[in-house]
Amino acid sequence: MACKVQKRVSLRRRLHILRVLTNSNNNANRNSINKSTFLQIHKLKLALETLKREYENLIATRRDYISLLNNVNDNKDVKIEKIREGTFMVKVTCEKGGDKLVPILEAFEEMCVNVEEARVSCENGFSMEAIIVAEDENLDVIDVNEALLKAIGKQSGEKGSEELNNSSNL
């Protein structure tokens, strides 16, 4: 007998909790409390699915944004400032991939310049800042710029010729 009373008290307690959680009125019977509980659960599931869709859309937007940023940085950029006679500050930025440092250093060697200080990064594409000193005082900013663009262009030129050869073989 006490077991039935405990079950009834436990059931009433659970119904009261459900009534409070679903904002049902106090005179509601079990069926209406159950229906409102299931309705509340269904609404929560729909809200969760909406949040998941919004999250996936945000992730896709973020991925597109990052790819756009990477495409913006694809341009080759060479900036050269003349510090004093025969000394230049060189800044090179271009897309990631390929061997860029070696051709640039070879171009420096061909121009007969010494690299006093250099910083190289490959984190968001290739970037290099260097202070170079020319052995020949007649070296001009335009000459350095052309040599570096030619050195960077060698890499993209090789890739283009490979793609051309591959497409002609098809």
Side-chain angles (χ1 to χ4, degrees):
M1 188 78 141
C3 186
K4 287 183 181 181
V5 173
Q6 286 177 347
K7 285 182 182 180
R8 191 176 303 146
V9 169
S10 173
L11 180 63
R12 284 185 186 159
R13 196 175 294 137
R14 288 186 200 140
L15 284 174
H16 176 69
I17 292 170
L18 285 176
R19 198 177 299 132
V20 169
L21 289 175
T22 59
N23 296 326
S24 300
N25 60 6
N26 290 335
N27 295 333
N29 61 13
R30 280 188 222 167
N31 288 336
S32 65
I33 293 172
N34 288 338
K35 286 179 185 177
S36 62
T37 303
F38 284 120
L39 181 64
Q40 187 75 15
I41 290 171
H42 183 67
K43 286 180 182 178
L44 290 173
K45 281 184 179 180
L46 290 176
L48 181 64
E49 288 174 4
T50 304
L51 286 174
K52 281 183 181 178
R53 266 187 264 120
E54 287 178 10
Y55 176 73
E56 289 170 357
N57 289 339
L58 286 173
I59 293 297
T61 303
R62 179 180 173 258
R63 197 175 311 121
D64 293 341
Y65 179 73
I66 289 173
S67 69
L68 284 174
L69 281 178
N70 289 338
N71 289 336
V72 167
N73 291 333
D74 281 349
N75 298 334
K76 298 172 186 163
D77 189 23
V78 176
K79 293 180 184 176
I80 299 165
E81 298 175 25
K82 192 170 192 176
I83 298 174
R84 58 184 172 270
E85 194 63 37
T87 305
F88 302 95
M89 170 63 115
V90 177
K91 295 180 183 179
V92 178
T93 57
C94 53
E95 72 274 0
K96 222 176 197 181
D99 188 18
K100 308 255 186 313
L101 184 61
V102 173
I104 291 172
L105 293 176
E106 287 174 352
F108 285 158
E109 188 176 321
E110 288 173 10
M111 290 185 290
C112 297
V113 297
N114 296 323
V115 179
E116 280 190 355
E117 182 180 333
R119 281 186 223 123
V120 178
S121 172
C122 295
E123 191 169 325
N124 294 328
F126 176 82
S127 64
M128 177 179 125
E129 292 181 12
I131 297 175
I132 60 172
V133 177
E135 292 175 3
D136 181 17
E137 298 288 327
N138 296 330
L139 192 63
D140 192 16
V141 173
I142 296 170
D143 298 332
V144 177
N145 194 5
E146 288 176 2
L148 289 177
L149 284 174
K150 184 178 175 185
I152 296 171
K154 284 182 186 177
Q155 297 301 313
S156 61
E158 289 174 2
K159 288 179 186 174
S161 63
E162 288 175 10
E163 291 172 4
L164 184 64
N165 291 337
N166 289 339
S167 64
S168 63
N169 291 337
L170 298 176

